[in-house]
Amino acid sequence: YIFTAGAVVAGEVDGRRGGTDGARLFRVSFLAFVAALCAWLLDVAACHGLQRLPLSLPYPQLHALGWHLGTCFGLLHLFALMLLRERSVRDGTPTLVRWNALGVPSVLPDRAKAL
């Protein structure tokens, strides 16, 4: 359900604002959740093998790193998408999305268009 709602919201945002910020936020969110689920499933399926890696390599903690960080990253993008919808579609506020080097989005008022 949440991904259906996210896809609809992304289309609504991009239709109102133009551009592809909504689609990008949704796509990254969806892919982060898929990657997180794959990491968790791999951790469950290959647990015994991962605990006995060659060369005394440490256990990769796919559940802790993949699942928890992946779902957090996915939720961050989903929340940014919802904030973008609230500001640009519901309130009509000129809004822009900035991405830092790590791919973390910031939803900000567009002061140049607001004047």
Side-chain angles (χ1 to χ4, degrees):
Y1 173 76
I2 193 71
F3 294 117
T4 301
V8 169
V9 166
E12 185 180 21
V13 165
D14 289 346
R16 174 68 70 92
R17 297 176 69 239
T20 60
D21 287 332
R24 182 178 177 189
L25 286 166
F26 173 72
R27 187 173 50 252
V28 171
S29 176
F30 182 77
L31 291 176
F33 275 101
V34 169
L37 182 61
C38 288
W40 178 64
L41 291 173
L42 180 62
D43 191 49
V44 170
C47 181
H48 295 296
L50 290 171
Q51 290 179 3
R52 291 186 295 274
L53 292 174
L55 305 173
S56 298
L57 291 172
Y59 181 68
Q61 299 292 334
L62 295 178
H63 172 253
L65 297 175
W67 174 254
H68 291 291
L69 293 179
T71 56
C72 286
F73 197 69
L75 282 173
L76 173 69
H77 283 77
L78 200 57
F79 290 154
L81 175 59
M82 297 304 152
L83 178 61
L84 182 61
R85 185 209 174 273
E86 289 301 301
R87 291 216 173 172
S88 62
V89 175
R90 191 189 71 163
D91 298 340
T93 304
T95 309
L96 51 91
V97 179
R98 296 279 186 230
W99 305 81
N100 74 13
L102 297 174
V104 176
S106 297
V107 178
L108 306 164
D110 188 349
R111 298 190 195 284
K113 289 184 180 178
L115 298 176

